[in-house]
Amino acid sequence: MNEAAILAGLEGIAPQQTGSRWMRPIEAVAAALLVAIIALLLTGVISRYVFSLPIVWIDEVASISFLWLAMLGSAMAVDRSEHLRLTLFVGMLPSRVQGVANTLAMLLMAVFLGVMLRPAYEYAMEEAFITSAALNIPMSYRATALPVGIALMLVLAVVNVIKGSNFRQIAISVVATAVVVGLLWFVGPSLKTIGNWNIPIFLVGFVALFLVLGVPIAFCFGLGTLAFLTFTTSVPVFVMIGRMDEGMSSIILLSVPIFVLLGCVLDATGMGKAIVEFLASLLGHVRAGMSYVLLGSLFLVSGISGSKVSDMATVAPALFPEMKRRGHKPPEMIALLATGAAMAETVPPSIVLIVLGSAAGVSIAGLFTSGFAIAMVLLLVLAVLARWKSRHESMAGVRRAPLSLIKKAFLVAAPALVLPFLIRTAVGEGIATATEVSTIAVLYAMIIGVILYGGISRERLYGMLVETAALSGAILMILGAASAMAWALTQTGFASQIVAAVQDLPGGWLTFMGVTILIFMVLGCVLEGLPAIVLMAPIMFPVARSLGINDIHYSMVVVTAMNIGLMAPPIGIGFYIACKIGNVSPDEAMKAIWPYIGALMIGLLVIAAVPFFSTVFL
């Protein structure tokens, strides 16, 4: 396998990419919108909980700002090449074919945006006839973000095609696209007669083809849904814009960019490193102690940042040198890092849990409460395996840290250690919503960072705001496109057919759990977490409910299975990210990771078969 091709996995994960100079005003506006959203939400929290005077218009202004942030951020992600896309298969092609594939991917993206521009404009005009409840202003102020963002992305996509391709590559891509569209138009009447067989053709086959070509994931879903609606139904494309708007602008999702920013603050201030150093002073002297520290650090740091990449990048550099000195082999360290990150995904404030709650209508507070218990189960099975693996660890020269050093490390780490428990308690006990807690957590982290951890320079803070806007735009665009595709699937009656088919399976709910694990492990390998959840939640959760499975229990199985898939080679993207962070060849780490994947599978099967672990604290 071509290592250079697969190391990146999903493009767009590297922070602090540089945008075009002419996009600087857009970046400034997006950064200002993010600051405004946080300020608005903080004002709302203070007025509601301190003065008992709720300000009714804050949610409306935040919602308007949020959609503009999502669309401008998505355009920034196009400019910075930060939209998530699968590069595994394109990287295996000969260099000449790679050029054509990359040009075709960008051209297909431009085609989608070009087709959606007019419906987006019409949608904004229609919204002008609706007035908001609190501010009494036309909703077109909000909806105009859609055509503006799409137009910006279209211009950027066309510029990228022209700048990054030669005439031959563009000509081949244009001809190939025209031929396929013409063929579909010709056979369109026949396609309408085959009913739901169009689902595997368009919403599975076409989407898979676009993924293989390296089209950004959001536009894979968008193109598949657009082709499905255009060539097999009489549903106007206009409807698709409404579904995308609904999918990317739910008020629950307001916490996504704020938790992304919180992860940046954690990294910039060194709060995560302080936690790692405290755990190392506490457990570093015991056999397998550094493995325990790595797992415990991922558990606690994940409770602050909500980002797997941020978690691994914080923990690995601090622990790997000492682990190597004690005789740990780099492939084993990468295996533990990758599976530990998968374990920690259910620890609040997990962005995946927030999105799942929004997509499936499940209580965020319940998910946050259960997530801790489930992570503890997985932490235990990984710790047992790590202890067995470390039976030959060299402990020469290892001494217990003096109590004075432990106290000092604890005092430095204490303000950071408070954060995950503050987030979990506030949301789990119903004191505040995930969105409100995210703003409080950012403010807390900024203040503590300035006072105790050296602060953040003005230039770096601005860069973090811009990067957060771009990454959030990429995430929200995926959610919008996946929501449109999920809606198209449910409108076909496909979901009700699945319900009927599953209810007839032998083994009842346990068989369905097995099917769920298989589906989400495969989707986790290919699609990463968020799009898989938004796409499948509207289909799978009604089936689970019809079989009497608790929503929280099912959610924990879904998220855990998906994250095991994400870390499972040879396709799992998270595995290659861990290899890149640890600077270890994937070929070497691939052999070492399977026992750890097996341990996670044992934990998953226990979680799936025993609802007690998911519901005990509810």
Side-chain angles (χ1 to χ4, degrees):
M1 189 174 290
N2 185 343
E3 181 183 330
I6 58 180
L7 256 177
L10 283 175
E11 287 192 352
I13 61 167
Q16 302 300 330
Q17 299 289 331
T18 303
S20 303
R21 185 167 297 178
W22 69 274
M23 282 289 289
R24 299 294 164 79
I26 302 297
E27 293 176 354
V29 171
L33 284 169
L34 180 57
V35 171
I37 289 170
I38 294 173
L40 283 167
L41 294 175
L42 278 173
T43 301
V45 169
I46 293 169
S47 67
R48 183 180 296 115
Y49 293 106
V50 178
F51 300 107
S52 299
L53 293 171
I55 304 175
V56 294
W57 52 264
I58 280 182
D59 283 349
E60 279 189 9
V61 177
S63 176
I64 293 170
S65 302
F66 183 50
L67 185 59
W68 277 96
L69 174 68
M71 296 308 297
L72 295 182
S74 189
M76 290 160 55
V78 173
D79 180 51
R80 294 162 163 248
S81 298
E82 288 188 355
H83 272 286
L84 304 179
R85 69 188 191 108
L86 189 66
T87 58
L88 173 64
F89 299 104
V90 173
M92 298 178 183
L93 298 173
S95 56
R96 290 178 62 186
V97 182
Q98 278 188 39
V100 174
N102 288 328
T103 301
L104 180 58
M106 192 59 65
L107 180 66
L108 287 170
M109 181 175 157
V111 167
F112 172 76
L113 293 166
V115 172
M116 299 305 294
L117 183 57
R118 180 167 180 174
Y121 172 77
E122 292 173 350
Y123 180 79
M125 292 301 99
E126 288 284 337
E127 290 288 289
F129 298 102
I130 304 172
T131 56
S132 63
L135 296 174
N136 200 31
I137 60 174
M139 291 299 289
S140 55
Y141 281 100
R142 175 184 172 281
T144 302
L146 291 163
V148 169
I150 288 173
L152 266 174
M153 284 187 278
L154 176 59
V155 171
L156 289 165
V158 171
V159 169
N160 287 344
V161 169
I162 295 171
K163 288 174 61 177
S165 311
N166 57 43
F167 177 77
R168 177 177 171 275
Q169 292 168 340
I170 295 174
I172 292 173
S173 300
V174 169
V175 170
T177 303
V179 168
V180 172
V181 171
L183 182 62
L184 288 172
W185 194 269
F186 179 74
V187 301
S190 301
L191 290 172
K192 292 180 180 179
T193 64
I194 64 174
N196 283 351
W197 285 106
N198 285 305
I199 293 174
I201 294 173
F202 287 92
L203 301 184
V204 179
F206 269 49
V207 171
L209 174 62
F210 297 141
L211 277 170
V212 168
L213 287 172
V215 177
I217 290 175
F219 301 98
C220 291
F221 292 150
L223 284 162
T225 308
L226 177 63
F228 177 75
L229 294 179
T230 302
F231 298 112
T232 71
T233 74
S234 56
V235 177
V237 177
F238 178 86
V239 176
M240 191 174 164
I241 286 289
R243 299 301 99 192
M244 290 178 66
D245 179 11
E246 184 178 313
M248 70 171 65
S249 58
S250 168
I251 197 71
I252 296 175
L253 298 178
L254 263 172
S255 58
V256 170
I258 305 174
F259 277 130
V260 170
L261 179 63
L262 182 59
C264 294
V265 173
L266 167 72
D267 180 56
T269 57
M271 294 173 75
K273 186 179 178 183
I275 291 175
V276 174
E277 290 177 350
F278 166 65
L279 291 179
S281 70
L282 203 62
L283 299 172
H285 64 282
V286 303
R287 189 173 299 279
M290 298 309 291
S291 297
Y292 299 154
V293 172
L294 188 149
L295 292 172
S297 298
L298 287 168
F299 184 93
L300 291 173
V301 171
S302 180
I304 304 174
S305 73
S307 162
K308 287 187 291 294
V309 176
S310 176
D311 300 344
M312 293 190 288
T314 298
V315 170
L319 296 181
F320 277 14
E322 176 62 17
M323 293 180 76
K324 285 180 182 178
R325 193 192 69 77
R326 296 193 186 190
H328 288 260
K329 296 178 180 178
E332 293 284 341
M333 292 153 48
I334 292 299
L336 191 61
L337 178 70
T339 50
M343 167 273 297
E345 186 59 70
T346 63
V347 178
S350 167
I351 293 174
V352 170
L353 292 184
I354 294 168
V355 172
L356 177 58
S358 173
V362 182
S363 163
I364 303 291
L367 291 173
F368 276 21
T369 300
S370 180
F372 261 105
I374 295 305
M376 288 299 296
V377 173
L378 299 175
L379 178 66
L380 179 62
V381 295
L382 287 175
V384 170
L385 177 60
R387 177 64 180 83
W388 183 79
K389 287 272 190 178
S390 299
R391 62 193 185 279
H392 302 304
E393 180 180 6
S394 171
M395 302 298 291
V398 176
R399 297 287 183 271
R400 182 192 297 269
L403 187 60
S404 59
L405 180 63
I406 295 175
K407 287 181 178 178
K408 181 179 178 181
F410 173 73
L411 289 174
V412 173
L417 286 167
V418 168
L419 253 182
F421 299 101
L422 171 68
I423 292 167
R424 177 254 178 261
T425 302
V427 177
E429 298 299 323
I431 298 171
T433 66
T435 303
E436 292 169 340
V437 169
S438 66
T439 58
I440 296 170
V442 165
L443 181 63
Y444 174 88
M446 293 288 288
I447 293 173
I448 293 299
V450 168
I451 295 174
L452 298 179
Y453 296 98
I456 306 170
S457 68
R458 187 177 302 175
E459 293 78 12
R460 187 165 187 186
L461 178 59
Y462 178 75
M464 286 161 49
L465 291 171
V466 171
E467 185 61 32
T468 298
L471 181 56
S472 300
I475 292 172
L476 294 166
M477 192 67 184
I478 289 174
L479 300 185
S483 296
M485 185 171 171
W487 174 84
L489 270 171
T490 56
Q491 294 307 300
T492 63
F494 182 62
S496 59
Q497 293 174 7
I498 290 181
V499 173
V502 169
Q503 287 175 337
D504 293 334
L505 287 174
W509 71 273
L510 283 173
T511 301
F512 177 67
M513 280 295 197
V515 173
T516 295
I517 289 171
L518 180 62
I519 289 173
F520 279 95
M521 281 186 66
V522 172
L523 289 176
C525 282
V526 178
L527 292 182
E528 215 262 339
L530 303 181
I533 281 176
V534 177
L535 183 61
M536 295 304 295
I539 296 173
M540 302 297 284
F541 272 79
V543 182
R545 289 166 187 148
S546 73
L547 295 171
I549 300 173
N550 181 280
D551 277 353
I552 302 293
H553 177 209
Y554 190 64
S555 298
M556 294 300 111
V557 173
V558 164
V559 173
T560 304
M562 190 181 61
N563 280 288
I564 293 175
L566 182 67
M567 295 299 174
I571 298 178
I573 302 307
F575 169 72
Y576 296 105
I577 295 173
C579 290
K580 193 171 186 179
I581 289 171
N583 195 27
V584 173
S585 165
D587 292 335
E588 296 177 15
M590 201 174 294
K591 299 173 185 177
I593 199 172
W594 291 114
Y596 295 93
I597 294 289
L600 285 180
M601 282 300 303
I602 292 171
L604 173 57
L605 292 175
V606 171
I607 292 164
V610 186
F612 171 83
F613 293 112
S614 301
T615 59
V616 61
F617 294 119
L618 297 181

